[in-house]
Amino acid sequence: MVNPLSSRPQLIAVLAFVFIALAPIVVLSTQQPPYLSPPQLLSDPFLQLPTDTSVRVVWFTEFAGTRHSVAYGQGLRQVAIANTTKLTRTREDQKSRVGEQTEDALVYQKPTPRDIWRHEAKVTRLTPGQRVPYQVTSVRNDGQIVKSNPFTLTPAPPPHTPLKILLTSDHQLMPMTAANLQKVAETVGNVDAVFLAGDLVNIPDRASEWFDDNRGGAFFPALQGHADYKLEYNNITTRYTGGELIQHAPLFPATGNHEVMGRFSTDSGLNAQFNDPIPRQVAAEIYQQTSSLLNPNNNPNWLKDNSFNTDTYNEIFTLPGKENYYAITFGDIRLISLYITNIWRTPSLKPNAKGRYREREADLNNPTAWGYGQHIFEPIKQGSPQYNWLKAELNSPEFQQAKYKIVMFHHPPHSLGDNIVPPYTDPIQTIERDRKGTITAVRYDYPPQADYIIRDVIPLLETAGVQLVLYGHSHLWNRFVNSQGIHFLESSNVGNTYGAYLGEKQRQVPEGKDYAATGDPNGLEPILPTIAPLRGEDNQPLPYIASNDITVFSILDTSTGIVSSYRFDTTKPDSDVIEFDEFKIAPVRRVR
Ligand SMILES: [Fe+2]
């Protein structure tokens, strides 16, 4: 017998083999930082874009990893391989509350990129109406395997399937969001889908707001039952976990103002960037005047970087089509989600206000510092691409034949809340100058007769037989019915209400302007809750809930067409959830 290492050539061959075999490990260990913590996913998986036979499973990690996959079906015997992408805009900054940073700038002194990878697997060959188990697996770069708990998935439900849909909005890590979603799970169990009318977080590029804000109320944890948010009343602290909802049910969002980042910067804080969008047209004009100076490298994203973008939102969610508006059939529902939102600016008329009605005095001669009023991010006015798309969608067989015709967008068409004023229209700019031509004031007006939602959108919805319009933005619950029978529901009461303006309470509107200080500016009376309205100080029933203590959620049950709204008093953690309102959506008379 020959000793395998006795000859020199053989020894060299073995050494070479060992070296080649070990080389990748050596390279890996020098490239990757050592892992101190056990492997974990940054989020649980959630469901997106169901079709008749498939659904997408999406999750996030803080390592690139390998072999990201979904095991599903009976015995988890089928496997779908994930496609991995890296989020391009997620950062932390001085205002983040993440990890060790419990005060401003303890860890991050400026916006700092945070590496997050997104994994998406298309789970196919599913049977309509059948729910099956699934579990996701990611393999860390050091070979460690991490798995989620098992959850369940199902493709888009066939017609006539009874469904429970959560109607919600404006989560924004608000104090009552985790309690709200926990009560959803406790009250109705698994929902079949979540319709979320915008404002998912506050600052979309701040990663921790989605995944791991250290105050315990980030977006995914609250919708996945992993929140850890404490509310204290009378020295009693209650900890809320949110609800395990979107691991089992698809989430359909609308784009709210808090999905939009303003002008990109590597220096200014993320809050400042969020508050710094300018209209694309203005950015284009600046660019045309000075393109060689401003964009010497011909960056194709220059216009977006120097106006506004929804990159993080678009990178996190997989929604139908390429725009921020879409339609989808889900069981008996045809849902249209529109991109109807504008930048929020202060109503203040003070000299230092970069507001909805005026520019800051200090900025008058510096148009690049102007805010351009409450400008609209995506046109919806008659003739715009979104308007034309909506018109075609409303005329489609999918929409016309649907039992439930629902439209969702962020900005309120009818509301007692604050943010319905001024009207939803392009700001009309007036520049005042003195005799020498120096600018003395820049003002903005919003003609009520040009409110695009009321003037252009609602007539289309009336003609098409839409039954329910869902929206948010003012952080209260109230509802309305118009003369055609369309129901309007604003269900966004999770913990920092901007109040309800009825009777004595007046919105802050400039003198001499035709903007409604009280009531619904668009002329509808609020509907009193049908079961158990709250009562005001005069013991009269209130047609709204605008509270920082009492949170509200609404559920559509497609087996009956009934939308039920529930309230929960977080100051009484042991109290029951109370159903306080019900209405039924049914075919409505069409306007011809
Ligand atoms: Fe909003």
Side-chain angles (χ1 to χ4, degrees):
M1 200 170 116
V2 180
N3 181 335
L5 298 181
S6 60
S7 74
R8 203 166 165 209
Q10 280 175 324
L11 181 64
I12 290 168
V14 168
L15 284 174
F17 174 79
V18 169
F19 176 78
I20 290 164
L22 288 179
I25 297 169
V26 173
V27 170
L28 266 181
S29 64
T30 52
Q31 282 180 344
Q32 295 293 328
Y35 289 105
L36 300 174
S37 56
Q40 56 182 353
L41 305 177
L42 185 58
S43 77
D44 262 353
F46 71 104
L47 303 183
Q48 290 277 270
L49 202 61
T51 69
D52 291 346
T53 57
S54 73
V55 70
R56 314 288 177 108
V57 176
V58 177
W59 70 103
F60 300 88
T61 59
E62 284 198 272
F63 51 86
T66 58
R67 288 180 279 154
H68 305 280
S69 62
V70 179
Y72 66 99
Q74 238 190 2
L76 299 174
R77 279 194 287 269
Q78 288 161 281
V79 174
I81 302 298
N83 180 36
T84 295
T85 52
K86 193 174 175 195
L87 301 185
T88 63
R89 284 283 167 95
T90 40
R91 291 165 285 168
E92 302 294 351
D93 76 343
Q94 49 273 47
K95 292 233 175 276
S96 294
R97 290 293 179 269
V98 62
E100 302 297 308
Q101 185 160 289
T102 51
E103 286 173 37
D104 282 6
L106 274 186
V107 177
Y108 301 98
Q109 278 78 46
K110 58 181 269 193
T112 307
R114 184 161 168 199
D115 294 336
I116 292 170
W117 286 266
R118 177 190 192 268
H119 317 288
E120 173 179 313
K122 186 176 180 182
V123 173
T124 56
R125 286 176 291 165
L126 297 169
T127 308
Q130 215 175 81
R131 190 170 273 280
V132 298
Y134 78 96
Q135 181 175 41
V136 307
T137 299
S138 285
V139 181
R140 208 163 64 172
N141 305 56
D142 62 356
Q144 293 254 9
I145 294 170
V146 52
K147 289 177 186 290
S148 71
N149 287 335
F151 303 108
T152 65
L153 58 76
T154 186
H160 314 305
T161 308
L163 303 169
K164 287 197 170 76
I165 313 287
L166 171 62
L167 310 176
T168 184
S169 74
D170 298 84
H171 288 187
Q172 297 178 255
L173 296 89
M174 289 306 168
M176 297 194 292
T177 303
N180 182 300
L181 296 169
Q182 182 169 328
K183 293 299 160 184
V184 170
E186 289 173 8
T187 307
V188 297
N190 277 356
V191 295
D192 295 288
V194 178
F195 294 178
L196 206 168
D199 283 6
L200 287 60
V201 294
N202 290 302
I203 310 294
D205 281 4
R206 184 175 286 132
S208 49
E209 293 202 16
W210 295 99
F211 302 110
D212 54 0
D213 186 287
N214 61 20
R215 292 161 294 189
F219 179 78
F220 283 107
L223 276 162
Q224 298 192 317
H226 298 303
D228 183 10
Y229 200 91
K230 296 172 191 73
L231 291 179
E232 190 187 319
Y233 294 98
N234 301 326
N235 297 321
I236 297 171
T237 300
T238 310
R239 176 179 165 267
Y240 292 99
T241 60
E244 186 181 300
L245 301 173
I246 58 170
Q247 292 96 327
H248 306 271
L251 171 69
F252 300 106
T255 316
N257 54 309
H258 284 274
E259 275 63 70
V260 186
M261 287 297 291
R263 283 182 277 190
F264 182 83
S265 163
T266 52
D267 298 318
S268 65
L270 295 174
N271 289 48
Q273 292 180 47
F274 169 79
N275 281 313
D276 193 34
I278 59 170
R280 290 248 205 275
Q281 182 59 30
V282 173
E285 283 161 16
I286 294 170
Y287 180 57
Q288 269 169 10
Q289 284 164 17
T290 50
S291 61
S292 56
L293 282 176
L294 290 176
N295 189 14
N297 303 324
N298 286 321
N299 170 9
N301 292 324
W302 191 94
L303 201 56
K304 195 175 62 168
D305 287 352
N306 288 281
S307 52
F308 58 87
N309 74 83
T310 53
D311 289 1
T312 296
Y313 171 74
N314 298 135
E315 288 174 8
I316 285 179
F317 297 102
T318 299
L319 301 169
K322 288 192 168 65
E323 304 294 340
N324 281 351
Y325 44 87
Y326 62 88
I328 192 160
T329 299
F330 193 74
D332 287 331
I333 299 169
R334 184 71 174 172
L335 171 71
I336 297 178
S337 178
L338 296 173
Y339 185 8
I340 299 186
T341 192
N342 53 9
I343 180 66
W344 184 94
R345 298 205 185 282
T346 175
S348 171
L349 297 173
K350 292 192 174 141
N352 65 351
K354 178 172 160 176
R356 58 181 74 165
Y357 302 118
R358 55 165 294 143
E359 297 294 356
R360 236 159 59 99
E361 263 174 25
D363 294 336
L364 289 179
N365 289 299
N366 181 14
T368 59
W370 293 357
Y372 297 90
Q374 290 205 156
H375 55 88
I376 289 170
F377 292 122
E378 175 75 30
I380 185 64
K381 68 179 167 190
Q382 193 167 12
S384 65
Q386 184 176 201
Y387 177 91
N388 292 339
W389 174 89
L390 172 63
K391 211 168 156 185
E393 166 56 33
L394 292 170
N395 282 317
S396 70
E398 291 86 350
F399 193 84
Q400 287 296 316
Q401 289 160 19
K403 184 175 177 189
Y404 298 113
K405 301 175 174 70
I406 301 178
V407 175
M408 169 171 78
F409 48 84
H410 187 60
H411 198 91
H414 295 285
S415 180
L416 302 176
D418 200 17
N419 286 336
I420 194 167
V421 167
Y424 192 81
T425 187
D426 296 316
I428 293 182
Q429 186 186 59
T430 306
I431 299 179
E432 293 174 9
R433 296 171 192 270
D434 64 15
R435 265 186 274 163
K436 287 185 201 150
T438 309
I439 295 175
T440 55
V442 178
R443 302 184 205 288
Y444 298 99
D445 286 294
Y446 304 81
Q449 66 276 16
D451 185 311
Y452 301 140
I453 301 175
I454 298 303
R455 188 191 73 183
D456 299 342
V457 176
I458 299 298
L460 286 186
L461 307 189
E462 288 175 344
T463 306
V466 168
Q467 296 145 344
L468 173 65
V469 180
L470 171 69
Y471 48 96
H473 196 38
S474 287
H475 301 197
L476 80 164
W477 180 97
N478 55 183
R479 73 176 177 93
F480 304 82
V481 185
N482 75 359
S483 56
Q484 280 74 42
I486 301 182
H487 292 273
F488 294 88
L489 174 65
E490 182 168 17
S491 189
S492 56
N493 196 254
V494 290
N496 73 329
T497 186
Y498 305 133
Y501 294 83
L502 205 56
E504 300 291 289
K505 197 169 178 200
Q506 301 218 329
R507 298 182 185 96
Q508 198 179 338
V509 293
E511 262 178 55
K513 296 290 175 201
D514 197 9
Y515 309 144
T518 63
D520 170 31
N522 298 317
L524 295 185
E525 289 298 319
I527 305 287
L528 267 185
T530 54
I531 301 174
L534 293 178
R535 288 178 184 271
E537 283 170 9
D538 56 1
N539 207 33
Q540 293 301 304
L542 296 172
Y544 60 84
I545 294 183
S547 170
N548 290 328
D549 297 326
I550 298 172
T551 191
V552 174
F553 59 90
S554 300
I555 302 285
L556 164 64
D557 182 341
T558 66
S559 68
T560 57
I562 289 175
V563 176
S564 302
S565 292
Y566 300 84
R567 57 179 159 86
F568 171 65
D569 187 344
T570 60
T571 66
K572 298 176 183 129
D574 296 328
S575 66
D576 289 332
V577 168
I578 294 169
E579 186 186 2
F580 69 94
D581 181 68
E582 259 186 26
F583 64 92
K584 186 168 174 154
I585 59 171
V588 295
R589 185 164 52 87
R590 294 213 194 136
V591 178
R592 294 278 173 201

